[in-house]
Amino acid sequence: MEEKKIEITLYEAGGVNELTSEDAALLEKAAEATRSSYAPYSQFHVGAAVLLDNGEIICGSNQENAAYPSGLCAERVALFYATSKFSQVAIRTIAIYAMANGKANPDPVYPCGACRQVLLECENRSGQPIKVIMGSAQKIQMVHTISDLLPLAFDKFKNLKI
Ligand code: THU
C-alpha cells in the first residue's frame, strides 16, 4: 500500500503587531466577545468575531447548558448569527479567542470538529475561502482556508449552488 501525506499550511505570529490592522481589530473583537460567554460549567470563555464581505462584524460567544450537548460554541453562535442576518454575504475571516480562569488562554484556540464542518459549509456556500485566526496570549495562528483545518472533509454538496 502506498503512503500518502497530507500537507496543511499554518501561519504563526508572535504578536498582534505581525497582523494586518484589519486582522488585529477582528481578534480584539473576539477577545471582547469572551465577556458575553455563558460558561458556568467549563469556565472556558470563548469569543468569535466574523468579518463579512460587506464590512460588517458579527460576534458570538459560547453558550453552555445544564444538558451539555444543548450548548453551542462561540464560532457557531457567530457564524449562524452572521448567515441568518446576512444570508447573501460571504464570510471573509473569523477570529477566535479564549479566556480561562480570568486569563487569556496561553495557546491558540482551535475550532472543534463540528465548527470546522460549519465553516466548510460557509465556504462552499459563498465559493470563497475563509481565513481563520486563532488567537492566544502568546501566539496567533492562522489558516487561509478551512481546508487546512479539515483535510479529507465530508463534502458531498461541494458544488451545490443555492
Ligand atoms: N468551545 C468553543 O466555544 N469554541 C471552541 O473552539 C472550543 C470549545 C467551548 C465549548 C464549551 O462551552 C467550552 O468551550 C469548553 O469546551
Side-chain angles (χ1 to χ4, degrees):
M1 201 181 289
E2 190 187 341
E3 180 182 298
K4 298 209 170 188
K5 295 222 190 298
I6 296 170
E7 209 171 72
I8 67 151
T9 307
L10 183 76
Y11 298 86
E12 189 171 293
V16 280
N17 54 314
E18 291 178 40
L19 302 184
T20 63
S21 55
E22 184 181 275
D23 288 350
L26 198 67
L27 190 57
E28 183 59 38
K29 290 271 182 201
E32 276 171 33
T34 60
R35 290 197 219 123
S36 68
S37 153
Y38 176 68
Y41 305 103
S42 72
Q43 304 295 333
F44 194 67
H45 302 273
V46 187
V50 167
L51 173 67
L52 298 166
D53 252 357
N54 62 2
E56 290 276 346
I57 291 176
I58 304 282
C59 295
S61 54
N62 57 327
Q63 302 296 319
E64 296 185 349
N65 192 278
Y68 288 0
S70 305
L72 202 61
C73 293
E75 295 91 321
R76 274 176 288 161
V77 170
L79 289 166
F80 288 147
Y81 180 24
T83 53
S84 54
K85 200 162 183 223
F86 298 102
S87 60
Q88 304 303 315
V89 184
I91 292 168
R92 202 184 296 168
T93 313
I94 183 169
I96 310 156
Y97 201 86
M99 303 279 293
N101 305 311
K103 285 196 197 129
N105 206 47
D107 301 309
V109 199
Y110 301 117
C112 77
C115 289
R116 292 177 197 212
Q117 193 72 44
V118 170
L119 280 159
L120 175 71
E121 189 83 23
C122 293
E123 275 198 357
N124 288 346
R125 222 172 134 167
S126 68
Q128 243 176 254
I130 298 173
K131 191 198 288 182
V132 185
I133 304 168
M134 297 155 288
S136 76
Q138 271 128 51
K139 63 183 173 202
I140 300 147
Q141 292 181 333
M142 190 185 292
V143 291
H144 284 291
T145 165
I146 187 62
S147 308
D148 283 329
L149 287 181
L150 195 63
L152 303 179
F154 172 69
D155 216 355
K156 191 168 191 294
F157 305 106
K158 191 175 171 53
N159 296 313
L160 186 77
K161 285 279 162 279
I162 307 147

